[in-house]
Amino acid sequence: MGGTLITVAPTGAEADKAKVPELPVTLDELVETAVACERAGAAVIHVHIRGDDAKPTLDQGRLRDTVATLREATGLVVQLSSGGAVTDPESDRLAVLDAEPDMASCTMGTVNFGDDVFMNRWGFIVELHRRMQDRAVVPEYELFDLGHLPSLARLLDEHGLPFGGHVHVDFVLGVPGGAAGDAATVTAFAEGVRRYLPEGTTFSATGIGRTTLPVMFASLASGGHLRVGMEDTVQFARRTPVKDNAQLVKRAAEAAKLAQRPPMSTAEARKLLGIRDTGVA
Ligand code: KMH
Ligand code: ZN
């Protein structure tokens, strides 16, 4: 078995900078965190950006600057979130692809999201998938519930494989309203990948809040990859806030080494995921 792909999700759209001062929200903070996380073992960065008011935005100019600056400063695979915040309209979420990232997320169904609803209509999913095929952007399919597995099988069956031909999915577990963040659920998802998705499909998993550790260890035990970051948890341990994203990546890298599947380099990640050549090593 090969190495472990570590994705860092440093910001998200939900945490409040006023309550979590360590959250990277400016471009400078994001780049500083990206450099530190690459050094600690991350190969992919899942990016949500914030405006001057530290609130989530999908501003096109900022997205383009962010992609260019991260490419200049790091070798990380740049994955933009097309999920945005629950309030973002579909048109803005589709326009994320205009910023020409290496990858973008694509959530495979509507899910309750705490007190909100994270809306992902079938027609929207199809449009996002097809635009990514046209623009040579590699999707990371986000699965919040078991039903998202057969939905992805249907998408691939009706609309073809993603750009590059490789299918990579991420289990997002422990969202209130979605699948639970525990080892049994990771096992069920991993089994579902084998049952519904093309041979060679790879998966990572992330656990929200206190489910981070069980999901991390269960994913490694199931042959999966890891996503960590302050988008998903701002607590490092009980009563101990996360210091910074690199602290979470370091812990994931240590766990991966213990599992004898050390972190993949960015070059290995590009090859595995089938990222188009943008001149970045
Ligand atoms: N912020 C959530 C509503 C994604 O990035 O694609 C959606 C999310 C998923 O974070
Ligand atoms: Zn996200």
Side-chain angles (χ1 to χ4, degrees):
M1 196 171 282
T4 301
L5 176 73
I6 300 181
T7 297
V8 63
T11 308
E14 284 76 32
D16 181 354
K17 176 77 169 172
K19 292 190 188 134
V20 187
E22 302 311 326
L23 193 75
V25 296
T26 66
L27 185 52
D28 284 350
E29 287 169 350
L30 182 65
V31 170
E32 190 188 335
T33 240
V35 169
C37 288
E38 182 177 13
R39 208 173 290 139
V44 177
I45 185 163
H46 169 86
V47 180
H48 290 253
I49 60 165
R50 302 289 179 106
D52 289 337
D53 56 0
K55 301 272 187 271
T57 176
L58 293 178
D59 178 83
Q60 192 53 223
R62 278 182 191 259
L63 285 170
R64 281 183 177 275
D65 277 359
T66 302
V67 171
T69 310
L70 286 171
R71 283 215 182 107
E72 241 171 67
T74 74
L76 293 168
V77 174
V78 180
Q79 179 189 110
L80 289 183
S81 165
S82 75
V86 288
T87 45
D88 284 320
E90 289 181 352
S91 54
D92 290 358
R93 292 173 58 192
L94 289 169
V96 161
L97 301 181
D98 297 346
E100 299 178 6
D102 302 313
M103 294 183 84
S105 55
C106 176
T107 295
M108 285 313 305
T110 297
V111 66
N112 282 333
F113 196 82
D115 294 344
D116 297 306
V117 177
F118 180 29
M119 185 66 82
N120 294 283
R121 290 183 311 112
W122 179 249
F124 172 74
I125 293 169
V126 170
E127 184 63 26
L128 194 53
H129 175 76
R130 292 172 75 163
R131 285 196 197 192
M132 282 198 250
Q133 286 171 323
D134 290 347
R135 292 158 189 235
V137 175
V138 173
E140 175 177 279
Y141 300 103
E142 309 293 341
L143 312 180
F144 287 69
D145 225 332
L146 277 172
H148 295 179
L149 281 157
S151 290
L152 177 54
R154 175 186 169 198
L155 183 75
L156 301 176
D157 189 42
E158 291 180 7
H159 301 281
L161 288 170
F163 172 80
H166 178 79
V167 180
H168 180 69
V169 304
D170 180 46
F171 314 152
V172 185
L173 305 181
V175 170
D182 56 33
T185 306
V186 173
T187 305
F189 271 78
E191 191 47 47
V193 166
R194 285 183 272 276
R195 179 161 163 205
Y196 293 106
L197 300 182
E199 210 181 317
T201 296
T202 50
F203 66 88
S204 58
T206 187
I208 304 301
R210 70 184 61 172
T211 73
T212 292
L213 286 174
V215 169
M216 179 171 88
F217 289 120
S219 185
L220 284 172
S222 309
H225 300 278
L226 305 177
R227 171 175 128 172
V228 293
M230 294 175 77
E231 171 166 346
D232 301 334
T233 184
V234 293
Q235 288 294 118
F236 189 74
R238 207 165 131 85
R239 298 203 189 93
T240 312
V242 170
K243 213 170 62 185
D244 55 29
N245 280 287
Q247 184 189 32
L248 293 169
V249 174
K250 268 182 212 142
R251 180 167 69 179
E254 276 163 24
K257 280 181 210 149
L258 278 174
Q260 303 199 0
R261 288 176 48 216
M264 269 184 202
S265 68
T266 54
E268 288 167 328
R270 282 171 195 283
K271 193 162 167 225
L272 173 78
L273 297 165
I275 305 295
R276 74 182 186 283
D277 188 4
T278 50
V280 178

